[in-house]
Amino acid sequence: MGAIVVQLLHAALSSATPIALAALGGMFSYHANVFNIAMEGMMLMGAYYAVYGAYRFGHWLYGVLFALLSGLILAGIFSLLAIVLKVDEFITGIGINMLALGWTTYSLRATFQVKGAFISQTIPPIPRVRLPVVEKIPFLGAVLSSHPFLVFVAVLAAFVCHVVLYQTKFGLRLRATGEEPAAVASVGLSIGRLKFWSAVLCGIFSALAGVYLSLGYVTLFSENMSNGRGWISLAIIILVRGRPVPIMLMSLAFGLLENLGMLLQRYDVPPQFTAMLPYVATLFVLYSYARRLKTS
Amino acid sequence: MNHVRPILQTILAIVFAFLVAAIFILLHRSSPFEVYGALYQYGLGSWFSFSNTLNAAFPLILTGLSASIAFMSGVVNLGQHGQFLWGALVCAVLGVYLRLPSWLAVPLLAILGGLAGAAWAGLAAFFKRRYRMDEFISTLMLNFLAEYMTLYLATYPFLDPKAYVPATRLIRPEYFMTGVFGVNVAFFVAFFMVFLCWWFAWRTWQGYEARMMGYNKLFATVGGCDVESDTTLILLFSGFLSGLAGALLILNGTQHRFTKGIGANFGWDGVMIAIMANNGVFQTFFYALFMGFLKNGAVGMEFETSVPSEFVMFLQSIIVLTLVGTRSGIASLTDWLRAKRELGKLVK
């Protein structure tokens, strides 16, 4: 039994990471009052370019580099459309998600000559870290050890984001942009520029989520592999009203649920039903959020 | 002038989008002329190509209408994919087991498929009405649920044992819908639905209320609209259109059975069409034909040149983004120029 719990928690931490990273990115947009729903696309693009860079140049660092670049480019397109040309943010987001899906599907075919998925032994995955001291602790060690390092980056990022958001000048300005843009403009700051930086941060974090998906969680790229994780992260952001540490905790809850499904498969529950769990959970979370709004 | 400007904008944006895409074709070391030539040849070049374009467009018209009607009313139904799948599955399963004369069964199956889509959207409407859950996220999540549930049904209870992939059995051959001069009857059904939607939006009071709700929900409430009932109605109608698209694809597509991945990208394509059409009913029809042309031409493009058909997915999104970008850019530019002119008058 103990072994199963350890395995479950280990896997939960692992599948919570991409959701948490994307949600932390989207959080910046949330606070700047930009309705950014492009996390799904940015994540997918990041996942593709992570595999591309790592495979082409033989080192996972190139994968990270390419993924970050792709995230920045998408953030640039988002800013150009939504901030400069003033296209509806929702429409821009959907457009970017479609762009990422179309481009990665096309590139997969054009670059690697495969349909559906690109799998290769020679894609270097991101390294797994073994924590020197923690490893020795009986229960905790097994849960925390030998994860790809991005898992720890995500956990740390939650706290760093909290500090950035609530303790720095940038965070204050960003939140002010969301709450009272006129006040920000009145002290001579550019609202457009602050919104742009929020989009850039969203691009960076979502791309990292993508890197984790295609070089950490598994080592391959398949069509539409983000599979709704960006939307789940959006639901989490709305639910916890963009607070970084609760985002991390909620992501963990989702990760746990996703893997509870794997556990249920042992008892002959068809995989199609267990795969539904995160989405059902999102609906439930939405339900409890609506209930809370009603009572308060 | 009011009608000419949007058309000019559209043409400008499409030309611009094709130019952007041409750069990527050059990067692919192919000739844009050859690629676009093949696209035209196989999409519009002959009656055969043209009728195939119409056949490729009919699900897109319906999912596009579904999104347009919803967005026009300020209801963010993004669940076209799930509603489509339920429509297709219900139609495919009943098409195997139902025994009726075909003149009765075919329309019945199409309508039942539509109702299945409406029921799935109705779930989101129920959530919205009973628990105030935002339909934006709930319809999205219901897409994933529909995907897995229909896949389960096609993999276990209704599996065709002879199939290599999860698929239901072939529907009874007498239920196959036919075509007129190569154009599927389903296209005419979709065409009829365009008019029905126009009539609904512009000639009925529910449609009027829905449009008012889209302009300004508060205004509609104050004006005495029952916003909750209107939202429910719109979700049901929108779901019906998507479900109908799925059912017609089973009856009049090429496979005549529910297979894994039959939903393809019809749901999101519908959303993109509605965005390009700015939620107008007739514009939706036009853009759906345009998308159908791209999809149908893509097959020829892959056949004739080295550019894979997936390129069209990318081309579509480029067109959507440049179109909305150009439209919005021109609008804010003219606003800015007008403001400057007015300011000039005042200062002088």
Side-chain angles (χ1 to χ4, degrees):
Chain A
M1 191 62 205
I4 291 177
V5 172
V6 166
Q7 213 179 359
L8 186 68
L9 288 175
H10 188 270
L13 199 57
S14 185
S15 41
T17 302
I19 298 175
L21 280 171
L24 287 174
M27 174 204 78
F28 287 104
S29 298
Y30 175 86
H31 283 292
N33 199 18
V34 178
F35 189 48
N36 187 346
I37 54 169
M39 279 91 77
E40 179 85 12
M42 288 169 167
M43 204 194 290
L44 187 61
M45 202 70 139
Y48 175 77
Y49 276 100
V51 162
Y52 177 85
Y55 178 75
R56 204 25 80 83
F57 299 100
H59 198 284
W60 59 272
L61 264 175
Y62 287 102
V64 176
L65 190 71
F66 271 82
L68 288 180
L69 277 177
S70 77
L72 288 180
I73 289 172
L74 283 186
I77 298 175
F78 183 88
S79 309
L80 174 70
L81 286 162
I83 300 168
V84 179
L85 295 172
K86 299 199 171 57
V87 181
D88 188 76
E89 284 152 3
F90 173 74
I91 289 176
T92 312
I94 289 184
I96 291 204
N97 289 340
M98 290 293 107
L99 183 76
L101 182 63
W103 176 249
T104 51
T105 311
Y106 159 67
S107 289
L108 188 65
R109 182 86 192 280
T111 314
F112 298 114
Q113 273 85 40
V114 288
K115 273 188 179 187
F118 177 67
I119 305 164
S120 165
Q121 290 294 322
T122 51
I123 305 173
I126 45 178
R128 291 172 181 273
V129 247
R130 311 185 55 176
L131 302 166
V133 184
V134 182
E135 211 176 20
K136 299 275 165 25
I137 308 171
F139 180 75
L140 209 60
V143 173
L144 290 178
S145 204
S146 79
H147 278 293
F149 76 92
L150 275 175
V151 171
F152 304 105
V153 170
V155 176
L156 276 180
F159 294 101
V160 172
C161 285
H162 180 88
V163 173
V164 167
L165 204 59
Y166 296 106
Q167 309 286 333
T168 64
K169 214 193 282 180
F170 172 74
L172 181 69
R173 287 173 176 175
L174 197 72
R175 284 181 296 132
T177 310
E179 277 172 28
E180 196 54 65
V184 178
S186 74
V187 294
L189 293 166
S190 160
I191 296 168
R193 200 167 294 161
L194 278 162
K195 287 189 168 178
F196 169 72
W197 285 116
S198 85
V200 165
L201 283 169
C202 181
I204 289 174
F205 275 98
S206 304
L208 280 180
V211 172
Y212 180 77
L213 269 188
S214 67
L215 293 182
Y217 197 50
V218 287
T219 316
L220 57 92
F221 178 81
S222 68
E223 255 172 51
N224 197 15
M225 79 183 291
S226 49
N227 201 16
R229 286 187 178 85
W231 297 115
I232 291 179
S233 71
L234 182 71
I236 291 178
I237 296 167
I238 296 173
L239 178 79
V240 303
R241 301 202 183 91
R243 285 164 302 160
V245 178
I247 283 180
M248 190 66 223
L249 296 176
M250 277 303 286
S251 309
L252 271 175
F254 270 88
L256 206 60
L257 249 149
E258 206 174 315
N259 290 287
L260 213 57
M262 305 283 168
L263 205 69
L264 286 178
Q265 273 183 38
R266 293 188 188 176
Y267 302 103
D268 279 345
V269 181
Q272 288 88 354
F273 281 108
T274 55
M276 276 182 218
L277 275 174
Y279 310 107
V280 176
T282 311
L283 281 175
F284 182 74
V285 153
L286 207 64
Y287 160 77
S288 54
Y289 177 68
R291 278 291 292 268
R292 217 173 54 198
L293 276 191
K294 218 173 175 180
T295 49
S296 65
Chain B
M1 189 59 203
N2 269 342
H3 285 288
V4 178
R5 221 179 83 181
I7 293 173
L8 281 179
Q9 274 178 25
T10 305
I11 293 171
L12 190 72
I14 290 177
V15 168
F16 187 59
F18 273 101
L19 285 178
V20 173
I23 298 171
F24 285 96
I25 296 174
L26 284 173
L27 286 178
H28 195 90
R29 292 186 207 86
S30 296
S31 147
F33 293 106
E34 271 178 35
V35 169
Y36 291 151
L39 209 58
Y40 172 78
Q41 193 58 42
Y42 284 79
L44 286 174
S46 61
W47 173 252
F48 178 72
S49 313
F50 182 63
S51 59
N52 274 339
T53 291
L54 296 185
N55 293 343
F58 80 78
L60 298 171
I61 296 172
L62 290 168
T63 51
L65 283 176
S66 164
S68 284
I69 289 285
F71 295 169
M72 168 194 294
S73 324
V75 177
V76 191
N77 177 13
L78 293 176
Q80 279 80 18
H81 183 66
Q83 293 143 19
F84 181 98
L85 286 177
W86 275 114
L89 185 89
V90 165
C91 177
V93 168
L94 290 178
V96 175
Y97 298 107
L98 202 67
R99 283 175 188 281
L100 283 174
S102 61
W103 59 267
L104 182 66
V106 172
L108 187 70
L109 284 174
I111 290 170
L112 283 175
L115 288 178
W120 195 245
L123 202 57
F126 170 75
F127 288 156
K128 170 98 179 175
R129 200 162 179 168
R130 185 87 169 72
Y131 303 116
R132 311 217 167 284
M133 286 158 70
D134 205 347
E135 77 277 9
F136 160 50
I137 307 242
S138 69
T139 49
L140 264 172
M141 292 301 133
L142 287 172
N143 278 350
F144 292 100
L145 297 193
E147 173 100 40
Y148 288 119
M149 281 185 190
T150 52
L151 186 61
Y152 168 77
L153 290 175
T155 314
Y156 298 103
F158 301 114
L159 180 73
D160 179 3
K162 289 197 286 288
Y164 295 105
V165 289
T168 60
R169 280 196 283 167
L170 212 59
I171 61 169
R172 291 157 61 83
E174 57 266 38
Y175 296 162
F176 290 7
M177 274 163 91
T178 51
V180 188
F181 297 116
V183 181
N184 288 351
V185 174
F187 173 77
F188 298 104
V189 177
F191 192 62
F192 169 74
M193 293 312 281
V194 173
F195 281 93
L196 190 76
C197 286
W198 176 83
W199 177 80
F200 169 76
W202 297 92
R203 287 290 178 270
T204 63
W205 62 264
Q206 283 95 342
Y208 173 76
E209 287 195 357
R211 279 187 296 121
M212 287 309 114
M213 208 160 66
Y215 287 131
N216 189 334
K217 203 163 238 166
L218 207 59
F219 170 74
T221 317
V222 173
C225 301
D226 185 354
V227 172
E228 287 200 343
S229 302
D230 287 340
T231 306
T232 307
L233 177 73
I234 291 295
L235 269 171
L236 290 178
F237 185 41
S238 166
F240 179 84
L241 288 166
S242 292
L244 183 65
L248 288 177
L249 193 72
I250 296 290
L251 293 169
N252 213 349
T254 46
Q255 292 179 318
H256 299 292
R257 62 168 87 210
F258 185 96
T259 56
K260 189 185 175 190
I262 195 168
N265 209 19
F266 288 118
W268 285 110
D269 285 342
V271 172
M272 285 206 279
I273 288 166
I275 288 173
M276 290 199 288
N278 224 345
N279 310 337
V281 171
F282 290 109
Q283 289 94 316
T284 299
F285 177 67
F286 167 75
Y287 283 106
L289 287 186
F290 180 63
M291 282 267 202
F293 155 70
L294 288 178
K295 274 192 195 304
N296 185 32
V299 183
M301 182 184 76
E302 177 165 308
F303 192 60
E304 294 273 321
T305 68
S306 67
V307 178
S309 60
E310 285 87 349
F311 183 72
V312 161
M313 276 177 83
F314 172 60
L315 183 63
Q316 279 174 1
S317 52
I318 287 277
I319 291 174
V320 174
L321 285 174
T322 45
L323 191 73
V324 291
T326 318
R327 201 189 277 152
S328 173
I330 291 176
S332 43
L333 191 68
T334 46
D335 281 355
W336 184 72
L337 285 175
R338 190 180 301 140
K340 216 179 159 188
R341 204 173 56 221
E342 297 287 316
L343 189 70
K345 272 187 209 159
L346 283 176
V347 170
K348 193 171 63 188

